[in-house]
């Protein structure tokens, strides 16, 4: 994807249901006209990128042993879906054919950061969790808006692929085994006892896996195992927020304007997420005295190492 800009910019309110509204390009803070909350900026993707996404077909590839082992080394059970799994059949129908309709509102969005409390993303790494807990303890957390990322950044490309799959899914709803509607939840953390916010990309249900869905994009599938632990931490909290211990990770290669071959995608079912998450957190506590003290302060000293 290239980095052409567009003059069409919008804003949305993260606090209420005010419909998005057109705004002038810029970086200045905006306020919702109804509830006065800080608004999040977004902009339209370039026309050539939108046309590319519509025409893109992804080719399914079984997860490699290297990819499965990258997840298994964390302690989770990671498996490929059988060829006849109904989730996989529905995803293949959506991705292996080009989209045959228009009207998709592609947006490259900024986001609201610095909200009070913990979210699933805070648990991606030990340093990230410690930074969030420090800000909570000192009262220095301040809400601010991150602007929309450049169109050729991994973040923007991931957003656009997610929107493409969501649009294709919505066009053939109801599907029996795949739902691309975001699932937002607040749950009590099983070890810390504090509320944690989470948001998954959707949900899946079959005889092989039942739980949240995370869609990740990479330049190539070979890169997918590099941040496996971070993905699993997110998925773990999403899973126990809905009362399950498993989920599905769909990994899609990012399409490119100059590409000849179709990008590929794969899917990995994972289970044992609660044990993985709690084990990781207890390990971090055991090796980092500062983190242990922050968590003790947060929970009143009720966490066992």
């Amino acid at each position: 994807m290239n980095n052409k800009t567009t003059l069409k910019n919008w804003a949305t309110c993260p606090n209420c249901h005010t419909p998005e509204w057109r705004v002038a390009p810029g970086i200045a803070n905006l306020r919702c006209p109804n509830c006065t909350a800080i608004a999040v900026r977004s902009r339209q993707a370039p026309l050539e990128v939108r046309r590319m996404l519509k025409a893109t077909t992804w080719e399914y590839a079984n997860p490699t042993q290297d990819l499965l082992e990258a997840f298994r080394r964390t302690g989770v059970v990671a498996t490929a879906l059988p060829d006849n799994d109904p989730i996989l059949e529905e995803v293949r129908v959506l991705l292996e054919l080009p989209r045959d309709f228009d009207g998709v509102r592609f947006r490259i969005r900024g986001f609201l950061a610095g909200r009070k409390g913990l979210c699933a993303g805070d648990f991606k790494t030990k340093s990230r969790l410690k930074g969030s807990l420090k800000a909570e303890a000192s009262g220095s957390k301040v809400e601010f808006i991150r602007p929309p990322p450049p169109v050729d950044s991994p973040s923007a490309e991931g957003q656009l692929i997610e929107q493409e799959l969501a649009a294709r899914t919505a066009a053939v709803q109801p599907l029996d085994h795949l739902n691309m509607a975001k699932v937002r939840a607040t749950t009590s953390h099983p070890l810390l006892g504090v509320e944690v916010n989470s948001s998954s990309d959707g949900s899946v249900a079959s005889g092989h896996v039942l739980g949240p869905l995370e869609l990740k994009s990479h330049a190539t599938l070979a890169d997918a195992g590099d941040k496996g632990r971070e993905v699993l931490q997110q998925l773990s909290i999403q899973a126990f927020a809905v009362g399950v211990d498993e989920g599905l990770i769909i990994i899609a290669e990012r399409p490119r304007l100059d590409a000849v071959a179709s990008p590929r995608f794969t899917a990995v079912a994972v289970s044992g997420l609660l044990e993985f998450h709690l084990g990781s957190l207890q390990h971090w506590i055991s090796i980092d005295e500062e983190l242990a003290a922050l968590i003790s302060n947060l929970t009143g000293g009720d966490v066992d190492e």
Side-chain angles (χ1 to χ4, degrees):
M1 299 183 187
N2 69 13
N3 198 27
K4 288 186 177 180
T5 59
T6 173
L7 294 178
K8 292 184 178 180
N9 286 250
W10 288 266
T12 55
C13 179
N15 188 57
C16 70
H17 299 293
T18 300
E20 68 175 4
W21 64 97
R22 286 286 298 274
V23 297
I27 60 173
N29 281 345
L30 301 169
R31 294 281 178 177
C32 174
N34 292 325
C35 74
T36 71
I38 301 176
V40 177
R41 289 181 177 270
S42 63
R43 64 174 179 270
Q44 190 176 42
L47 178 60
E48 60 192 39
V49 172
R50 305 198 305 267
R51 287 174 172 170
M52 176 191 66
L53 288 166
K54 178 182 178 181
T56 296
T57 58
W58 280 268
E59 178 184 345
Y60 177 68
N62 284 313
T64 64
Q65 283 302 309
D66 285 345
L67 177 58
L68 293 175
E69 285 302 319
F71 285 114
R72 289 168 181 166
R73 282 194 294 271
T74 69
V76 302
V77 177
T79 59
L81 292 176
D83 289 341
N84 63 350
D85 183 274
I87 300 170
L88 184 56
E89 291 176 349
E90 290 181 354
V91 175
R92 294 186 68 164
V93 167
L94 296 171
L95 292 183
E96 292 185 345
L97 295 172
R99 173 163 48 90
D100 60 359
F101 60 92
D102 296 314
V104 180
R105 293 185 175 184
F106 286 108
R107 300 288 189 266
I108 302 172
R109 304 184 187 280
F111 65 93
L112 176 64
R115 283 180 170 177
K116 291 187 180 298
L118 297 176
C119 67
D122 291 328
F123 292 86
K124 284 184 175 182
T125 64
K126 179 168 69 71
S127 61
R128 189 163 176 170
L129 177 60
K130 187 159 66 172
S132 182
L133 291 175
K134 280 183 178 179
E136 286 284 340
S138 64
S140 61
K141 265 195 173 180
V142 178
E143 289 188 353
F144 65 97
I145 299 296
R146 291 195 184 277
V151 67
D152 59 353
S153 67
S155 174
E157 292 173 343
Q159 288 185 38
L160 296 175
I161 292 171
E162 181 182 327
Q163 291 169 39
E164 177 65 33
L165 180 54
R168 296 186 187 193
T169 304
V172 295
Q173 287 287 9
L175 293 172
D176 295 327
H177 306 281
L178 170 70
N179 191 322
M180 282 296 295
K182 283 189 175 294
V183 180
R184 293 180 172 86
T186 300
T187 186
S188 176
H189 192 278
L191 183 65
L192 306 183
V194 297
E195 289 193 340
V196 180
N197 298 309
S198 65
S199 175
S200 67
D201 294 327
S203 56
V204 294
S206 77
H208 299 105
V209 58
L210 170 68
L213 165 68
E214 268 297 299
L215 173 64
K216 296 299 180 183
S217 65
H218 291 274
T220 70
L221 294 185
D223 302 329
D226 294 346
K227 293 188 176 181
R229 285 185 175 273
E230 295 183 14
V231 178
L232 292 173
Q233 292 286 16
Q234 282 185 284
L235 196 64
S236 298
I237 293 176
Q238 295 163 10
F240 60 70
V242 294
V244 298
D245 193 35
E246 58 188 352
L248 184 69
I249 303 168
I250 294 179
I251 303 158
E253 291 181 335
R254 302 179 192 122
R256 310 209 66 82
L257 290 168
D258 57 355
V260 176
S262 293
R264 299 173 300 160
F265 80 95
T266 193
V268 179
V270 291
S271 60
L273 291 169
L274 179 60
E275 183 177 352
F276 157 76
H277 176 74
L278 297 184
S280 298
L281 188 53
Q282 287 168 327
H283 175 64
W284 293 347
I285 292 170
S286 71
I287 63 173
D288 191 317
E289 292 183 357
E290 185 180 17
L291 177 62
L294 287 166
I295 289 179
S296 179
N297 180 63
L298 177 71
T299 63
D302 293 333
V303 177
D304 294 327
E305 293 187 9

